[in-house]
Amino acid sequence: MESLGRHILVEFYGCDVNLLNKASAVKEVLEDAARAARCTIVDSFVHQFSPFGVSGVVVIAESHLTIHTWPEYGYAAVDLFTCGEEADPWKCFQYMQEKLKSRNSTTMEVRRGTLNVDLLRHKPQPVKVAA
Amino acid sequence: MESLGRHILVEFYGCDVNLLNKASAVKEVLEDAARAARCTIVDSFVHQFSPFGVSGVVVIAESHLTIHTWPEYGYAAVDLFTCGEEADPWKCFQYMQEKLKSRNSTTMEVRRGTLNVDLLRHKPQPVKVAA
């Protein structure tokens, strides 16, 4: 079944607690994960919560990578969503698993935008090109 | 089973094609979806691809909302990820379904950061408060 994108939902447990609470480090890991899969970074954003926790987003031409951390649990919720044939989100996963020093994790891969009857029912339509 | 967050993966089919290709409109829908669920917007970002397609992210204190659109298919991949007891991601879903004029959709709700053995094994640890 063809799809427009692949999305891996990752729960990283047992991570490096102090890294998870450092916005600049989290941002670097997320950006480098995008580069590890040869994705094109469009923009990135990170937010430090008080007292604990970081949220990070890297918008890539191929979709997005996100992270939300709970340092007090050594836990991070990560989404790795890539479109197209070139990018492999599992390369992002492998890079992040190592950098976050996650001792265990669970993953779920979901195909997004499957070209099933729903999409075929709405064949490509003329769209006004954006200004 | 307790969890830290709820994440709804949405495939919106049969949407308003021209809205899907207008970055400002997509951003407004995403931000208003966050408000519909009384989420706190931390930052938002939108990118217009050439010739078609928009990516949008709203980072909320409760996690994130994202959208990636394929106007030529009338399709949008949407993620609605909220943490805490207050926010209800289904309110975001209902708001967006109406505004995008989606004729059909599929959804999948995933519990993120389930407080199972993995998290309990790593009980809350002392974390240095961020500067």
Side-chain angles (χ1 to χ4, degrees):
Chain A
M1 187 163 62
E2 275 189 277
S3 66
L4 294 170
R6 302 162 68 186
H7 184 166
I8 309 175
L9 291 85
V10 190
E11 320 300 311
F12 280 126
Y13 299 106
C15 300
D16 180 329
V17 166
N18 290 310
L19 191 155
L20 289 193
N21 204 35
K22 195 175 172 191
S24 60
V26 168
K27 187 179 183 186
E28 189 179 338
V29 169
L30 207 58
E31 289 180 345
D32 285 347
R35 293 184 189 107
R38 296 192 181 181
C39 292
T40 302
I41 296 174
V42 173
D43 205 345
S44 60
F45 172 82
V46 72
H47 181 73
Q48 176 84 54
F49 289 95
S50 176
F52 310 138
V54 171
S55 282
V57 175
V58 173
V59 179
I60 51 180
E62 298 82 3
S63 286
H64 71 255
L65 312 181
T66 65
I67 186 169
H68 303 284
T69 77
W70 281 258
E72 67 274 35
Y73 288 111
Y75 165 74
V78 167
D79 288 87
L80 310 168
F81 183 0
T82 65
C83 294
E85 296 302 313
E86 298 293 317
D88 179 358
W90 289 104
K91 289 187 179 167
C92 306
F93 170 78
Q94 284 157 3
Y95 183 87
M96 294 186 74
Q97 184 178 43
E98 185 187 327
K99 290 295 171 182
L100 299 177
K101 298 176 186 164
S102 169
R103 287 198 294 267
N104 50 66
S105 59
T106 63
T107 61
M108 178 167 67
E109 182 174 338
V110 181
R111 294 271 164 172
R112 304 297 300 266
T114 49
L115 297 174
N116 56 15
V117 61
D118 288 320
L119 280 182
L120 294 175
R121 192 183 299 159
H122 309 292
K123 288 188 194 296
Q125 297 170 48
V127 180
K128 206 165 59 177
V129 173
Chain B
M1 187 163 64
E2 276 189 275
S3 65
L4 294 171
R6 301 163 69 187
H7 184 164
I8 309 175
L9 291 86
V10 190
E11 320 301 310
F12 279 125
Y13 299 106
C15 300
D16 179 329
V17 166
N18 290 312
L19 192 156
L20 290 192
N21 204 35
K22 195 174 171 191
S24 60
V26 168
K27 188 179 183 185
E28 189 179 340
V29 169
L30 207 58
E31 288 180 346
D32 285 347
R35 293 184 189 106
R38 296 193 181 182
C39 292
T40 302
I41 296 174
V42 174
D43 206 345
S44 61
F45 173 82
V46 72
H47 181 74
Q48 176 84 53
F49 290 94
S50 175
F52 309 138
V54 171
S55 281
V57 175
V58 173
V59 179
I60 51 180
E62 299 81 2
S63 286
H64 71 254
L65 312 181
T66 64
I67 186 169
H68 303 284
T69 77
W70 281 259
E72 67 274 35
Y73 288 111
Y75 165 74
V78 168
D79 288 87
L80 309 168
F81 183 0
T82 65
C83 294
E85 296 301 313
E86 298 295 316
D88 178 0
W90 288 103
K91 289 187 179 166
C92 305
F93 169 79
Q94 285 156 2
Y95 183 86
M96 292 184 74
Q97 185 178 43
E98 184 187 328
K99 291 295 170 182
L100 299 177
K101 299 177 186 164
S102 169
R103 286 197 294 265
N104 51 66
S105 59
T106 64
T107 61
M108 178 169 68
E109 182 175 339
V110 181
R111 295 271 164 174
R112 304 297 300 266
T114 49
L115 298 173
N116 57 14
V117 61
D118 288 321
L119 279 182
L120 294 175
R121 192 184 296 159
H122 309 290
K123 287 187 194 296
Q125 297 171 48
V127 181
K128 206 164 61 177
V129 173

